[in-house]
Amino acid sequence: MVLTAARRGHLVTAALLLPALLFLAVCFVVPMAVLFKLSVTAEEGPLSAYGEILGNWVYLRVFWNTLVVAVVVTAISVVLAYPTAHLLTRLKGWALTLAVYGVLFPLWISVLIRTFSWILLLEKNGPVNRVLVGAGLVDGPVQFLFNNTGVLIGMVHVLLPYAILPIYANMLRIDLRLLLASDGLAASPWMTFRRVYLPLTMPGVGAGAVFVFLLSLGFFITPALLGGISNLTVAMLIELMVNERLVWSLAAAASFLLLAAIAALLALATRFVPLGAVLEAR
Amino acid sequence: MTGSGQTIAFRGVARDFGAVKALLATDLDIMAGEFLTLLGPSGSGKTTLLNIAAGYLAPSAGRVLIGARDVTDLPPRRRNIGMVFQNYALFPHMSVFDNVAYGLRARGVPRADLERRVEAALGMVRLGGYGARGIRQLSGGQQQRVALARALVIEPDVLLMDEPLGALDRQLRQHVQLEVRRLHRQHRRTTIYVTHDQEEALVMSDRIAVMREGRLEQIGDAETLYRRPDNAFVAGFLGESNLLRGVVTAVDGVRARLRVDGMAGEIAGAAAAGLVAGTPGAALVRPESVRVSPAGRFEARLVERVYLGELVALRLALGNGQAVVCRRFARDGAPDGDRLAIDWDPGDVRILPDANSAGTTSNRTEEET
């Protein structure tokens, strides 16, 4: 049989996709299936693990705390990222290179090392507290560690580049003549920002926020090291269930509930944020 | 829409970019209600001058006055200008209505008045009923008209247009040219229009300022520039021209004579201002002034015959290799043979100074950028 051009095209597409599909099948789909099976094979009945998590306010509080941390981290990251990204668009030459490396550099250092560094910086007798006390800003050392404050500082630090980069990419694509046009039409700088620049950068803000939010929901190392036992996140809870309590069906069910929550939020987000539009060239 | 805008005056306005002098000290007065076109090739300083008028660029020297107001140190938002950009610069996230209303909202125009004025402006550019559409749903020509409505609705003192038709195809461009001209005739708003397209300049302008290398070469109405250019550059840039380059041998008040290498005798013609005997010059003979006649003084060889519809262009070469273009009505028939005698009326010849003898023998219609 002679292959038509269209059929050959399909075959080429399939061949190109095959390695990635095989990899995902072996390393993602199969483990997920195993995990799902684990979550529904508790001794007390197929859905008992889900029931136990959803029916227990202690577990629900962990989910709630995870959500609150993720929302706050996202908000702080975006607020910090926006002016930073804007500054990047104004820089040129070596200053731009330096600033971009400044943004990317943290990504090259292990999260574990950065988190330990925060412990050294934020501990009771650490440099941050010594400066605060020395300057008379606080009466005694501030408790940064083993509560949500430490978790927020650590997580924002790790996740900030994921907010900066999409916003920066979005800002680069804005036609600067639109700002000139706004100025020429008698708009104040504030109106130009509020009515032209901000709306046009919202896709980047949305994309950055979604990245940071989703990564926050599954964060483990930073909350585990900087947070306290009273500020458990879902990732920490799963780890406890696996390593300490050895109830793997509960851990599997918690994983799937987190996955379901993420999927639902992502579906919601894509209705408002055109993620594809941020990634593709205009 | 009332009023006709203000005068705008440039007093010794200049602009350097580092060592590059983009605009040499320029004086230019534009009357209230006038349509003035800045015409020139890329790098001639025309866009620089426009941006200085708008306030997007600060002059290195000189003052800009709109009416009696010295606006040199004012930002664009305080100049009351209407600007139409080359690629329109419409706000892509807003509807047509919101784009047009933008300048009125910035001025705090009350809602009822605003809606009436936006609708009137859209009607004026024949886009009534398009208010709710998104910018991306419009064709290039429609976007062009929205940009025009957005600039005009605020009743600017001066309307500034930076090659606004460059992105349109030829047919649409001609249509919008007439549209712009119609709007200007109706409202008489002071307009500065930048283009490198001589046809646009001829169709729309009250006066044309030809620029080159940061300098105003000549300013006048279309007929003056076409019939009485001050120098070879202006002659070459506006319309098609035959420039026979040589040395000016005699200047006698309004008449002058020019000697061209390889041509017998001298060419006589009207003298342009500033012509000096003994300096390089060029004789301008417009293609429509070249006659094919058995009694003609000059021998020419027919190189090519180009049919243009109502006209035929004959590309000829004189004995010394000088190229000459002759244009005549197609219905007058084609001359026989490729050896012709041509001539022109001395009254149709103009002797011009030719300080810079860069190639300027054909009309310029190629795209800038």
Side-chain angles (χ1 to χ4, degrees), chain B residues 97 104 108-120 153:
Chain B
F97 183 94
L104 296 175
V109 172
R111 189 184 182 82
D113 193 25
L114 179 139
E115 278 176 19
R116 184 184 55 74
R117 285 171 69 177
V118 171
E119 288 306 331
V153 73

Side-chain angles (χ1 to χ4, degrees), chain B residues 112-160:
Chain B
D113 193 25
L114 179 139
E115 278 176 19
R116 184 184 55 74
R117 285 171 69 177
V118 171
E119 288 306 331
L122 285 174
M124 187 181 72
V125 296
R126 301 178 203 265
L127 283 174
Y130 279 68
R133 302 234 186 150
I135 292 304
R136 294 196 173 106
Q137 293 166 267
L138 302 182
S139 70
Q142 289 170 333
Q143 291 188 14
Q144 217 309 304
R145 278 138 69 196
V146 175
L148 203 54
R150 184 178 71 173
L152 284 171
V153 73
I154 58 171
E155 300 184 4
D157 289 339
V158 184
L159 178 63
L160 305 170

Side-chain angles (χ1 to χ4, degrees), chain A residues 178 180 182-183 185-187 195, chain B residues 56 77 90-91 93 102 107:
Chain A
L178 297 177
L180 296 182
S182 174
D183 193 358
L185 287 164
R195 300 288 305 277
Chain B
Y56 293 130
R77 60 183 171 276
L90 296 172
F91 304 123
H93 58 299
Y102 193 88
R107 287 166 171 77

Side-chain angles (χ1 to χ4, degrees), chain B residues 144-214:
Chain B
Q144 217 309 304
R145 278 138 69 196
V146 175
L148 203 54
R150 184 178 71 173
L152 284 171
V153 73
I154 58 171
E155 300 184 4
D157 289 339
V158 184
L159 178 63
L160 305 170
M161 304 175 86
D162 185 9
E163 307 225 15
L165 309 184
L168 304 180
D169 64 49
R170 184 176 168 77
Q171 217 175 355
L172 196 53
R173 202 155 64 213
Q174 288 176 334
H175 177 76
V176 181
Q177 278 169 21
L178 296 175
E179 192 83 359
V180 169
R181 191 170 75 159
R182 176 182 67 82
L183 288 171
H184 183 255
R185 295 276 151 87
Q186 271 175 22
H187 302 289
R188 282 281 151 196
R189 193 152 301 279
T190 314
T191 302
I192 304 180
Y193 187 99
V194 162
T195 185
H196 63 273
D197 184 323
Q198 52 152 325
E199 185 196 309
E200 265 174 48
L202 292 173
V203 169
M204 295 186 287
S205 318
D206 293 322
R207 282 193 302 163
I208 300 168
V210 179
M211 297 188 71
R212 175 173 64 157
E213 290 170 6

Side-chain angles (χ1 to χ4, degrees), chain B residues 208-254:
Chain B
I208 300 168
V210 179
M211 297 188 71
R212 175 173 64 157
E213 290 170 6
R215 207 170 48 239
L216 272 181
E217 290 283 339
Q218 189 175 359
I219 179 163
D221 61 33
E223 195 179 343
T224 302
L225 294 187
Y226 188 81
R227 294 172 58 94
R228 293 190 298 282
D230 279 348
N231 58 50
F233 176 79
V234 174
F237 204 79
L238 215 75
E240 202 172 356
S241 42
N242 295 305
L243 288 168
L244 298 106
R245 295 172 193 281
V247 177
V248 180
T249 52
V251 182
D252 163 29
V254 296

Side-chain angles (χ1 to χ4, degrees), chain B residues 316-339:
Chain B
L316 309 163
L318 297 182
N320 64 347
Q322 168 79 48
V324 172
V325 176
C326 160
R327 263 203 310 244
R328 44 193 262 158
F329 285 112
R331 64 161 182 262
D332 293 346
D336 295 325
D338 61 357
R339 291 277 159 194

Side-chain angles (χ1 to χ4, degrees), chain A residues 175 177-189 191-193 195-197 199-200 282, chain B residues 56 75-77 81 85-87 89-94 102-103 105-107 136 150-151 154:
Chain A
D175 183 353
R177 275 172 313 180
L178 297 177
L179 309 182
L180 296 182
S182 174
D183 193 358
L185 287 164
S188 63
M191 179 174 172
T192 298
F193 173 75
R195 300 288 305 277
V196 180
Y197 197 69
L200 289 174
R282 187 164 56 177
Chain B
Y56 293 130
R77 60 183 171 276
I81 48 154
F85 291 83
Q86 190 165 10
N87 292 318
L90 296 172
F91 304 123
H93 58 299
M94 293 182 197
Y102 193 88
R105 290 193 171 123
R107 287 166 171 77
R136 294 196 173 106
R150 184 178 71 173
I154 58 171

